[in-house]
Amino acid sequence: MNAMPQDRSAPAASGSALPALNDWVAEVAALTRPDAIHWCDGSDAESAALIAKMQADGTLLPLNGDTHPDSWLHRSHPDDVARVEHLTFVCTSARDDAGPNNHWMSPADGHARMDALFEGCMHGRTMYVVPYCMGPIDSPLARCGVEITDSPYVVANMRIMTRMGAPALQRIENEGRFVKGLHSIGQLDPDRRFIMHFPEELTIKSFGSGYGGNALLGKKCHALRIASHQARSEGWLAEHMLILGLENPQGETHYIAAAFPSACGKTNLAMLIPPEGYRRDGWKVWTIGDDICWMRPGADGRLYAINPEAGFFGVAPGTSAKSNPNALASIQSNTIFTNVGVTADHQPWWEGIDNGQVPVTDWRGEPYDPAKRPAAHPNSRFTVSAKQCPSYSPKAEDAQGVPISAIVFGGRRPSLVPLVFEARDWTHGVLVGAAMGSETTAAATGAVGVMRRDPMAMKPFCGYNFADYFNHWLSFDKAGANLPKIFHVNWFRKGEDGKFLWPGFGDNLRVLEWMIKRVEGKAGAVETPIGALPKVDEINLAGVALSDEARERLFGFERDGWRAEFESIGSYLGEYGPRMPQALKDEQRRIAGALAAAS
Ligand code: TSX
Ligand code: MN
């Protein structure tokens, strides 16, 4: 199981049949100087041994075994609780290839900076070699990687979030190609912390953080930043999208992929439970994924999607039996909780869990005092296998992926933006995605009510220049393509009184139903310069109490406001400079012109 780092001729059990992998592991061991090397096979025995070790050293605290069997609490370092965008770099040979949407460093400088940090950093520690597959192990759309890490917590999370272990190693050996991810928690010093990507070398180096997005390299670093770069050169898309299946009473299922900026309830939408009447009629929502979607055109021209992940790394606060019963059901056992509070009888607790219990200890391990800090960190998480989700779709394990009927973009827009509209064509849809975003609400992030654009929800995750990325999106519209329709939704429109006008949650199914009717050519629409709006009566609002004001604002088209919005979109696109595709600028001008024409 363990081999000394110096042992370069290790037997197969402690290494791989792939020389390129063995050489890289040896090279990393020579640099980081671990006490031992452990090649992860993903077995139950291995997992049990790792968990026992972490329980012994306090990395994992057991939760109530009666209410939450095989579940654990991890408290991270208080300065290590979130992704660090200002310390995240894309290292391409040419600065312009990373684009204004990324921090850039030359590959040579990036490697030098990181290798200095990694020098001897695993002394006294075990180095884990973690082979993983992003996507069903037998899927042609899946891609593999190997993460080398000195964090057993990372290994335990990777085992849930990816297909980790022997089958992945087998596939890597067959393919001879894999993404190299090197990770060390270092000293968890925020001043010695960097997340660097070398997309041209399919390499990631991450130092100084043990937190999810910085440390579970299969997720944001591989499946989004590196994969988006790889997808561009190979003709597919790696997107920050949930995937759900919507089954109608006839038993037909349409698949929808959707991108939202943070704090819009992506996981809640992915696990939506239909309103009572819909359930009775036989409607069902199936969850394929809640965060990442890889899609590629199939032989029939449609886009086929897989969820590259095997689990959910979800935000805990706000998750309740009311907001997301499927998520709550998923996390009753075999779950790692990070930075949540606990009750007197050691059950996990967070703000908005709404289960009648009370916390006694906060996420720092101190007695809960609401005057001091919330019980759970706002970015506290659960890590759980997708297989534990009651709505998990059997199609999520399908090697061929699922055909996507609709792509949905959204944002938090208290004003102007209607509940739903449909893009007139693919190019218009790409513009809708490029212009999406949220108005800021959290006082912590600065000004309230400021428009933050987050194209396709990919601002922190696109591994290359956004202008090239939009061009790549546009390139899918070609002969033989049979592309999904593109929609934009806004669950967060507010009324004069500042209250939300749309009930949201399960009732969002009514909007999804209209989209599918549009896809099937069974619903009408009102054409406007911004796209097609639902025709009154063609979106089912039976049982939804909406005031006249709500109806007007949710389904109306406000020409003057949109004129200003399109000016703002025009200047935003301008920020990406001369690489911005002309077709997208033309589309913005066309709509701006249409908005100006009739008044
Ligand atoms: O997740 C949300 N969704 C999508 C659900 C499938 N949230 C939570 C956002 C934070 C993560 C929502 N919040 C949604 C929504 O559609 N809509 C809203 C706004 C809202 C909040 C409360 C009410 C109505 C709308 N009403 C009552 O609480 C009674
Ligand atoms: Mn995400």
Side-chain angles (χ1 to χ4, degrees):
M1 201 146 100
N2 294 324
M4 291 311 292
Q6 296 82 357
D7 182 7
R8 296 197 53 168
S9 56
S14 57
S16 151
L18 187 66
L21 175 53
N22 285 336
D23 291 351
W24 175 59
V25 169
E27 193 184 298
V28 167
L31 174 67
T32 62
R33 297 195 296 279
D35 284 12
I37 301 178
H38 178 110
W39 289 72
C40 294
D41 60 15
S43 64
D44 291 344
E46 176 184 80
S47 172
L50 264 176
I51 284 172
K53 173 184 146 70
M54 286 190 279
Q55 193 181 343
D57 71 13
T59 302
L60 292 184
L61 307 170
L63 289 166
N64 187 320
D66 296 325
T67 60
H68 293 75
D70 301 305
S71 296
W72 309 90
L73 169 63
H74 172 73
R75 294 195 182 113
S76 74
H77 190 285
D79 294 331
D80 186 31
V81 293
R83 287 187 296 103
V84 281
E85 283 173 31
H86 61 296
L87 303 173
T88 300
F89 286 73
V90 169
C91 304
T92 46
S93 317
R95 182 175 209 139
D96 270 356
D97 290 344
N101 46 305
N102 281 300
H103 299 297
W104 177 86
M105 206 178 280
S106 76
D109 289 351
H111 283 303
R113 180 74 74 94
M114 296 310 282
D115 291 353
L117 293 171
F118 277 106
E119 169 92 58
C121 72
M122 294 189 194
H123 180 71
R125 299 178 185 172
T126 295
M127 178 174 113
Y128 299 91
V129 181
V130 185
Y132 63 87
C133 180
M134 300 309 290
I137 194 86
D138 56 346
S139 172
L141 284 79
R143 292 287 186 278
C144 291
V146 177
E147 173 166 359
I148 297 180
T149 179
D150 55 9
S151 163
Y153 166 80
V154 163
V155 178
N157 278 271
M158 286 290 283
R159 184 165 185 268
I160 297 172
M161 294 303 295
T162 73
R163 279 86 170 171
M164 181 272 257
L169 181 59
Q170 185 66 58
R171 178 166 168 160
I172 289 166
E173 288 170 347
N174 293 343
E175 291 181 338
R177 191 176 66 147
F178 60 97
V179 169
K180 294 176 183 166
L182 174 53
H183 169 255
S184 172
I185 56 172
Q187 295 72 42
L188 297 177
D189 176 356
D191 293 328
R192 284 163 52 86
R193 178 178 296 166
F194 284 107
I195 322 299
M196 294 226 191
H197 305 76
F198 304 87
E200 293 156 358
E201 305 162 41
L202 301 184
T203 295
I204 304 153
K205 293 186 178 179
S206 166
F207 189 91
S209 168
Y211 170 80
N214 301 327
L216 311 178
L217 302 186
K219 192 174 176 66
K220 303 303 191 181
C221 299
H222 178 166
L224 287 174
R225 298 195 192 95
I226 297 287
S228 62
H229 189 275
Q230 206 174 11
R232 183 192 173 208
S233 57
E234 297 174 1
W236 49 286
L237 290 164
E239 298 300 324
H240 191 200
M241 293 177 176
L242 66 89
I243 311 167
L244 64 80
L246 180 52
E247 183 180 338
N248 67 19
Q250 291 74 52
E252 302 152 347
T253 305
H254 279 280
Y255 295 92
I256 296 175
F260 292 86
S262 57
C264 286
K266 223 166 97 188
T267 302
N268 298 341
L269 186 64
M271 299 179 186
L272 179 146
I273 290 183
E276 172 71 42
Y278 277 83
R279 274 204 311 278
R280 237 187 355 251
D281 291 347
W283 290 85
K284 176 103 181 64
V285 170
W286 296 100
T287 306
I288 304 263
D290 79 329
D291 198 38
I292 305 181
C293 167
W294 286 358
M295 0 181 211
R296 138 166 130 191
D300 58 0
R302 299 187 72 184
L303 290 182
Y304 284 78
I306 61 164
N307 170 16
E309 301 192 282
F312 306 117
F313 184 65
V315 173
T319 305
S320 70
K322 205 167 160 215
S323 70
N324 194 335
N326 280 319
L328 205 68
S330 306
I331 58 181
Q332 297 307 303
S333 65
N334 303 298
T335 303
I336 299 173
F337 295 91
T338 301
N339 294 339
V340 300
V342 285
T343 65
D345 64 345
H346 302 285
Q347 296 190 49
W349 193 95
W350 49 81
E351 280 66 23
I353 192 171
D354 213 14
N355 62 358
Q357 300 181 23
V358 289
V360 298
T361 308
D362 70 23
W363 64 276
R364 304 268 303 254
E366 293 173 17
Y368 173 57
D369 174 0
K372 207 155 69 182
R373 65 177 73 95
H377 188 278
N379 194 32
S380 56
R381 301 280 170 153
F382 52 78
T383 316
V384 70
S385 167
K387 289 186 174 151
Q388 294 192 193
C389 182
S391 57
Y392 190 49
S393 168
K395 286 282 190 183
E397 305 289 334
D398 194 321
Q400 299 311 311
V402 295
I404 298 296
S405 298
I407 289 176
V408 178
F409 296 122
R412 235 180 215 270
R413 301 295 299 264
S415 62
L416 184 66
V417 180
L419 180 63
V420 58
F421 65 89
E422 176 191 322
R424 75 202 294 249
D425 58 18
W426 184 258
T427 300
H428 178 208
V430 173
L431 179 66
V432 169
M436 69 180 258
S438 287
E439 267 182 46
T440 53
T441 50
T445 61
V448 173
V450 173
M451 183 59 201
R452 268 252 165 85
R453 298 206 190 270
D454 181 2
M456 280 87 166
M458 285 288 277
K459 183 140 180 15
F461 305 119
C462 183
Y464 61 103
N465 191 316
F466 253 156
D468 299 337
Y469 171 75
F470 300 140
N471 205 33
H472 181 50
W473 262 85
L474 293 170
S475 77
F476 285 82
D477 187 11
K478 58 183 177 216
N482 184 6
L483 296 167
K485 276 185 179 291
I486 298 180
F487 298 87
H488 187 280
V489 299
N490 176 24
W491 315 137
F492 302 95
R493 189 71 189 267
K494 288 182 172 174
E496 208 84 280
D497 57 2
K499 288 192 177 148
F500 291 114
L501 294 171
W502 178 249
F505 300 93
D507 286 311
N508 293 336
L509 186 74
R510 302 167 190 279
V511 177
L512 304 183
E513 180 191 17
W514 179 76
M515 291 176 188
I516 295 312
K517 281 204 287 184
R518 289 292 293 168
V519 166
E520 292 177 334
K522 292 177 186 164
V526 183
E527 304 293 334
T528 77
I530 63 158
L533 296 170
K535 228 176 215 158
V536 190
D537 302 342
E538 286 199 297
I539 194 155
N540 177 16
L541 298 174
V544 184
L546 291 181
S547 66
D548 288 345
E549 186 214 359
R551 228 168 258 266
E552 187 54 41
R553 288 186 191 232
L554 288 169
F555 299 103
F557 160 59
E558 297 170 18
R559 186 177 295 272
D560 292 343
W562 277 104
R563 215 176 266 151
E565 172 76 1
F566 265 80
E567 254 178 58
S568 152
I569 293 170
S571 23
Y572 179 70
L573 297 185
E575 289 174 25
Y576 291 94
R579 279 163 89 136
M580 183 58 77
Q582 190 60 41
L584 213 53
K585 291 193 276 190
D586 288 348
E587 185 65 5
Q588 182 274 336
R589 283 208 199 102
R590 183 188 67 75
I591 296 171
L595 287 165
S599 51

